[in-house]
Amino acid sequence: MREEPRQWILKKDPPSSEVDVEGVPSILLKLLGQRGVTGKENIEAFLNPRLKDLSDPFLLPNMEPAVERIFQAVDQNEHVIVYGDYDVDGVTSVALMRNVLDAYGVSGGIFIPKRGGEGYGLSDVAIDNLLAKHGKPDLVVTVDCGTASIDEIDRLGELGIDVIVVDHHEMSVRGCPDCIAVVNPKLGDDFHYLCAAGVVFKLAHALLKRRKAEGFDLKDYIDMVAVATVADIVPLVKENRLLVRHGLKRLPQTSNAGLKALQQVAGLSDNVSSMDVGFRIGPRINAAGRMDRPEDALSLLVEKDLEAAHRIASLLDEYNCQRQGHEKQIREEAMKMVYEQCDPINDPVIVLGSRNWHPGVVGIVASRLMRQFYKPTFIISIDEDGLGKGSGRSVEGISLVGAIQACPDDLISGGGHDMAAGLSIREEKLADFRKNFSEYVLETTSKEQRAPRMNVDSEIGFDVLSLEFMDSYDLLQPFGSQNPQPVFMSREVWLTEAPRHLKNNHLKLFLRQGISEHDAIFFGGGERTLPDPPWDVAFTIDRNTFRGRTSLQMVIQDVRASHSG
């Protein structure tokens, strides 16, 4: 497999500081400094965030009219529908919003569109189906969607249905929809980091500040918000960090039957990390939406009975296995196409499409190919009528939104975020889009910016790596967007025995530096041609518990011949 080697960029040490925080090793102070966390007070707040530091929810835009309108629905016994998205953030947002309304005695229902037939967000076909299922509600609360649904919300208004939007997505160039309130941090100057479930949490907090709901404790839902925040890959900064830190602590003892059953099915232990959420909990919830069964994910999160929840969690696990099968098929076919249709080293982008690919899985494959080849990537599923729906993932410094805006003649529609976006395109336009997307990238970036690279936080010796070090290292958690898991490097590393090949082309390595030895796992390492030792190794560290024994495990990110620059 021919890939361009990555350049390792060792981060510079932050400006020296005389700050000394008891019990925090100097290397962790260095890592905090690299993240812009300096000064004793800020360091202690980062390492030990407190729930009492949550800010006033009424600081969010349009919170006041949203609260007033919901209490009108409470007092007048109105019929309220919560309308959401089919991913983890959307499903958890619907579950939390519905639970809040139920606590106030508000009647109504929930509606989540299907990815295949109704698409993302509000659409005419989804509105038709909502009305057919629930009748005409007095109020619709959209969560994790609605900000850009100007025409659809106008239609609801013409039908005499009020709308509150609770969202975190970007505004439309046409402005805000005409509705009761758009509670979206993007309309203000702060809280832009929140996911939709975080905004719903803020709305619930605002409601409870004005009027208590008997028997409802918002802290019971912090674990659900944490799952959404990690799964939606929003920045783990400020209140997001606070919510995720406390939510992860609550997950093993969660009062939510669905989350408890899901952890059991996923084989999680008493300590749940953001990685566990990102790679084991989130994918199982997402799989239901990808298989056009989002209602099953929602049923799991609102189920009260643990035995029933376990049956649903097992069903989601089956969906995830189906998703993995589709993903494997698409990835294998896409990899073959990369080498047949592209130059994986010199081409600036990857754009691939097929009529054989499941539309619910293309985003995962785009992400995998983007990481493997370090190129902005779109993977597109094309239906029998030649209409393609694709997902894109990008590398640092290349905006997919900018690329979409630069190719208006090639696309039917498109949008999203700089690093992740979706589009619709006709099959016959794929070649034109690939060409124009490539030109956009070449014109807006330098060759150096496009070169594969990996940021390394710090050089560290094997002798430092211990469970005691992990205890203080864990204070940096949760890891995620804008607080990434640190990547360390060690030089002059030798093998103590031959690599052991595991399933799925993973390797188990037995490493030594000086007199210190550590085992390591190298995911996908069996696909690589490894240089002769000694090596420089780049790695992250995690706890590994096996048969009741906990150890520090190195997870290899890259290997190069020692002294290779």
Side-chain angles (χ1 to χ4, degrees):
M1 183 175 296
R2 183 170 173 258
E3 295 176 34
E4 189 175 357
R6 288 187 286 182
Q7 180 184 4
W8 296 15
I9 309 296
L10 182 60
K11 293 181 181 178
K12 295 180 180 179
D13 288 351
S16 60
S17 171
E18 299 302 320
V19 173
D20 180 30
V21 181
E22 185 177 356
V24 181
S26 59
I27 190 170
L28 295 191
L29 294 175
K30 171 184 172 179
L31 295 171
L32 288 168
Q34 290 173 342
R35 287 157 168 72
V37 182
T38 58
K40 188 170 184 178
E41 185 176 329
N42 290 333
I43 290 172
E44 290 178 341
F46 183 92
L47 296 179
N48 298 290
R50 302 171 299 179
L51 284 174
K52 69 179 185 179
D53 292 330
L54 285 169
S55 59
D56 183 354
F58 286 95
L59 293 174
L60 267 72
N62 303 314
M63 187 64 82
E64 189 72 51
V67 168
E68 289 180 0
R69 182 61 185 85
I70 289 173
F71 281 137
Q72 176 186 321
V74 173
D75 296 335
Q76 297 183 9
N77 195 28
E78 292 183 339
H79 189 64
V80 180
I81 299 297
V82 181
Y83 183 111
D85 189 21
Y86 39 69
D87 69 356
V88 177
D89 192 20
V91 172
T92 52
S93 295
V94 170
L96 175 53
M97 192 71 243
R98 189 66 252 174
N99 273 293
V100 173
L101 294 175
D102 288 346
Y104 284 108
V106 177
S107 65
I110 50 184
F111 188 90
I112 297 180
K114 292 184 183 294
R115 181 190 295 260
E118 295 161 323
Y120 164 76
L122 285 167
S123 65
D124 284 333
V125 64
I127 291 172
D128 289 341
N129 292 338
L130 181 155
L131 295 173
K133 180 178 180 181
H134 294 286
K136 179 186 169 184
D138 300 292
L139 173 66
V140 170
V141 180
T142 72
V143 294
D144 199 26
C145 62
T147 296
S149 303
I150 295 173
D151 295 335
E152 293 79 8
I153 289 176
D154 283 346
R155 179 188 172 193
L156 290 171
E158 291 168 0
L159 293 171
I161 301 170
D162 286 344
V163 177
I164 295 172
V165 174
V166 187
D167 195 11
H168 72 131
H169 289 99
E170 299 291 340
M171 299 292 114
S172 165
V173 293
R174 295 169 57 192
C176 269
D178 182 13
C179 60
I180 297 296
V182 178
V183 184
N184 187 328
K186 298 295 180 7
L187 288 170
D189 298 324
D190 200 359
F191 306 104
H192 288 197
Y193 49 82
L194 289 173
C195 68
V199 183
V200 174
F201 182 89
K202 285 288 193 180
L203 174 56
H205 188 192
L207 290 165
L208 293 165
K209 284 190 75 169
R210 289 289 168 83
R211 188 188 303 183
K212 292 190 181 301
E214 187 174 349
F216 185 88
D217 188 346
L218 189 55
K219 285 187 290 188
D220 289 340
Y221 296 87
I222 290 178
D223 46 17
M224 192 182 292
V225 176
V227 168
T229 302
V230 172
D232 216 48
I233 320 179
V234 290
L236 292 188
V237 299
K238 299 182 180 180
E239 293 192 18
N240 274 355
R241 174 176 172 74
L242 190 161
L243 291 168
V244 172
R245 169 70 78 85
H246 287 272
L248 291 178
K249 285 182 180 179
R250 294 180 71 94
L251 262 176
Q253 295 83 38
T254 183
S255 60
N256 183 284
L259 288 178
K260 184 180 289 291
L262 202 57
Q263 290 175 84
Q264 293 171 351
V265 167
L268 293 178
S269 64
D270 290 340
N271 293 307
V272 180
S273 70
S274 54
M275 297 286 283
D276 292 325
V277 172
F279 291 98
R280 299 170 79 174
I281 295 177
R284 285 171 167 82
I285 298 175
N286 259 334
R290 296 185 188 282
M291 297 296 110
D292 264 355
R293 295 287 302 179
E295 63 273 19
D296 291 332
L298 183 59
S299 295
L300 177 73
L301 295 179
V302 298
E303 180 58 59
K304 306 296 184 185
D305 179 71
L306 183 58
E307 185 176 341
H310 208 282
R311 287 195 295 271
I312 304 172
S314 297
L315 185 60
L316 264 57
D317 194 51
E318 291 178 19
Y319 292 153
N320 194 47
C321 290
Q322 294 175 29
R323 186 271 304 171
Q324 289 171 333
H326 287 300
E327 178 190 338
K328 183 174 184 292
Q329 170 236 329
I330 296 173
R331 183 168 180 260
E332 289 175 351
E333 292 180 11
M335 285 293 296
K336 184 178 179 182
M337 292 169 68
V338 165
Y339 289 101
E340 289 178 350
Q341 302 180 14
C342 312
D343 182 340
I345 289 182
N346 297 311
D347 286 355
V349 305
I350 295 174
V351 177
L352 302 172
S354 172
R355 294 194 176 204
N356 296 326
W357 295 347
H358 193 291
V361 187
V362 290
I364 301 173
V365 177
S367 182
R368 287 185 178 275
L369 265 62
M370 176 275 294
R371 290 196 302 270
Q372 182 165 348
F373 295 103
Y374 200 80
K375 298 179 190 296
T377 300
F378 274 99
I379 302 297
I380 299 161
S381 168
I382 303 167
D383 68 16
E384 59 186 12
D385 297 319
L387 175 63
K389 292 185 178 180
S391 288
R393 300 293 184 268
S394 193
V395 300
E396 184 179 348
I398 299 177
S399 167
L400 295 184
V401 173
I404 288 169
Q405 293 172 346
C407 304
D409 296 334
D410 302 329
L411 305 175
I412 299 171
S413 63
H417 305 286
D418 288 339
M419 304 298 285
L423 57 75
S424 296
I425 186 172
R426 295 297 309 175
E427 184 175 21
E428 60 270 18
K429 283 287 189 176
L430 274 181
D432 290 339
F433 175 60
R434 183 184 297 113
K435 174 177 177 293
N436 292 325
F437 184 16
S438 296
E439 290 178 356
Y440 166 81
V441 171
L442 292 172
E443 290 170 0
T444 56
T445 61
S446 66
K447 184 176 181 180
E448 184 181 41
Q449 288 175 304
R450 297 191 299 273
R453 58 187 182 273
M454 177 179 61
N455 292 316
V456 178
D457 293 87
S458 183
E459 185 171 345
I460 193 170
F462 274 24
D463 58 328
V464 176
L465 302 176
S466 66
L467 287 178
E468 290 73 24
F469 176 72
M470 284 293 301
D471 289 339
S472 51
Y473 170 86
D474 283 342
L475 295 175
L476 293 174
Q477 299 223 44
F479 298 126
S481 175
Q482 294 192 25
N483 185 41
Q485 187 171 15
V487 176
F488 299 108
M489 68 170 289
S490 295
R491 303 180 192 268
E492 292 285 332
V493 174
W494 296 84
L495 286 169
T496 61
E497 59 180 271
R500 184 178 302 167
H501 287 258
L502 309 176
K503 65 179 182 179
N504 297 321
N505 279 321
H506 305 326
L507 293 180
K508 184 169 185 179
L509 303 175
F510 306 89
L511 306 176
R512 173 178 60 81
Q513 183 192 50
I515 62 171
S516 300
E517 296 184 3
H518 284 285
D519 295 349
I521 186 77
F522 190 179
F523 294 114
E527 299 177 354
R528 295 276 301 273
T529 300
L530 300 178
D532 292 330
W535 295 340
D536 295 339
V537 293
F539 58 93
T540 58
I541 57 175
D542 289 308
R543 291 180 188 271
N544 180 47
T545 300
F546 182 68
R547 293 178 178 172
R549 179 176 173 269
T550 299
S551 60
L552 181 148
Q553 178 172 269
M554 299 170 58
V555 181
I556 302 297
Q557 305 298 311
D558 201 6
V559 170
R560 69 184 185 187
S562 208
H563 308 301
S564 61

